Amino acid sequence: MKFILDTHCHTIASGHAYSTINEIVEVAKEKGLELISITDHGPELSGFPNVYYFSNLKVVPSEIKGVKVLKGVEANIMDCEGNLDLPQEFMKNLDIVLAGLHDPCFIPRTKEQNTQAVLNAMNNPYVDILVHPGNPLYKLDYDRIVEEAHRTNTLIEINNSSFISREGSYENCLEIAKKCKERGVKIILGSDTHYAGDVGNFSKARKILGEVEFPEELIMNTSVEKLVSFLREKGKHPLRGRKRTGIGSDL
């Protein structure tokens, strides 16, 4: 399978990443990627961009040097009610919204509490992708999460970076992939790149897919058209031309 898009990329705006949008685009083009998503962390992680950064993403072209660019966010799940750290008036104008648990914003709790937070976040109509659910820091009920992903049409991410930064993720992601295959739930691979050289790096995530013989039709990284169609089903307007009308205004 040829993977031609990466929906989880961080720029210097995230505070602990080291590349610009243009640098990520350059490497993506060299690697033959057709689309990337700029998904810097939401504002509640210390040192990360404020809400107006996400409004002003309108100034970033939807295509740079032949690479399509989705403008989005990796929002933080803040509580058991699934509230996110980016107001809906900002999320509604982004091309793509990722949501996940990060311990500075949501201290790990019981399996039931962690699971409830994720389930509630997935019911947010603006959330498109649940990121790194295999993080061993958070015990989760994968059966309920996969079922809710099916019901809400939410993509489940297999996060390649987790296999390096979150020890124990491989076994969890393997279990998640098996359950997604059984239920027919779509997944997406994310590099979670914090340095341009890692954009499109799915080397370890590929092993997961091979091990469970995951069907290609349920993998979103193989087609720009498939991803764009999915986002439109979710009510988004990806890659449309935008007019800048001022800070805090609609994209």
Side-chain angles (χ1 to χ4, degrees):
M1 283 181 283
K2 184 178 180 182
F3 299 147
I4 60 171
L5 58 90
D6 188 350
T7 52
H8 196 159
C9 303
H10 294 279
T11 74
I12 53 175
S14 278
H16 62 288
Y18 305 95
S19 303
T20 65
I21 294 175
N22 282 348
E23 288 168 341
I24 293 171
V25 165
E26 288 282 2
V27 177
K29 185 173 183 178
E30 290 172 7
K31 291 185 175 183
L33 297 182
E34 297 180 13
L35 178 147
I36 62 167
S37 296
I38 300 303
T39 51
D40 285 305
H41 285 286
E44 287 302 317
L45 278 177
S46 178
F48 301 127
N50 65 39
V51 292
Y52 291 107
Y53 166 85
F54 298 99
S55 174
N56 204 43
L57 281 171
K58 63 174 70 69
V59 305
V60 178
S62 294
E63 185 170 310
I64 303 173
K65 297 186 176 181
V67 177
K68 293 177 173 60
V69 179
L70 296 179
K71 287 152 275 187
V73 63
E74 183 184 7
N76 298 291
I77 300 173
M78 300 301 296
D79 51 39
C80 291
E81 287 69 45
N83 291 310
L84 305 179
D85 63 338
L86 191 65
Q88 291 195 356
E89 59 263 33
F90 292 90
M91 285 193 292
K92 72 179 182 180
N93 292 313
L94 295 174
D95 294 324
I96 191 166
V97 174
L98 285 52
L101 295 167
H102 297 90
D103 55 291
C105 295
F106 187 96
I107 297 172
R109 306 177 194 183
T110 67
K111 183 176 182 179
E112 175 59 29
Q113 288 174 315
N114 296 337
T115 299
Q116 200 58 53
V118 170
L119 295 177
N120 286 334
M122 292 166 70
N123 275 277
N124 186 314
Y126 297 113
V127 171
D128 305 304
I129 302 174
L130 174 67
V131 294
H132 46 69
N135 183 355
L137 193 61
Y138 296 96
K139 295 185 183 301
L140 297 171
D141 186 331
Y142 297 136
D143 286 312
R144 291 170 65 193
I145 287 171
V146 168
E147 185 60 36
E148 195 68 2
H150 184 270
R151 191 186 71 81
T152 59
N153 194 24
T154 304
L155 301 181
I156 298 290
E157 183 194 64
I158 303 296
N159 185 291
N160 197 78
S161 178
S162 287
F163 306 125
I164 301 169
S165 60
R166 303 179 179 100
E167 187 176 351
S169 291
Y170 192 90
E171 293 77 12
N172 290 345
C173 290
L174 188 64
E175 182 181 353
I176 291 168
K178 288 177 180 176
K179 292 182 183 300
C180 286
K181 176 184 176 181
E182 291 168 1
R183 191 63 182 90
V185 167
K186 298 182 182 72
I187 67 167
I188 193 156
L189 308 185
S191 70
D192 199 355
T193 182
H194 287 66
Y195 171 68
D198 280 330
V199 65
N201 180 6
F202 309 126
S203 56
K204 296 185 182 297
R206 277 182 176 272
K207 293 181 181 179
I208 295 278
L209 302 185
E211 196 166 339
V212 303
E213 298 181 341
F214 203 89
E216 182 175 351
E217 62 267 21
L218 295 178
I219 304 171
M220 301 298 289
N221 300 77
T222 60
S223 166
V224 171
E225 292 75 19
K226 185 161 59 173
L227 178 65
V228 168
S229 177
F230 163 79
L231 292 172
R232 287 175 177 161
E233 288 176 12
K234 296 282 286 188
K236 304 296 175 61
H237 302 280
L239 305 176
R240 64 181 176 180
R242 294 187 167 95
K243 180 180 179 181
R244 185 177 182 183
T245 56
I247 289 179
S249 60
D250 288 347
L251 294 178

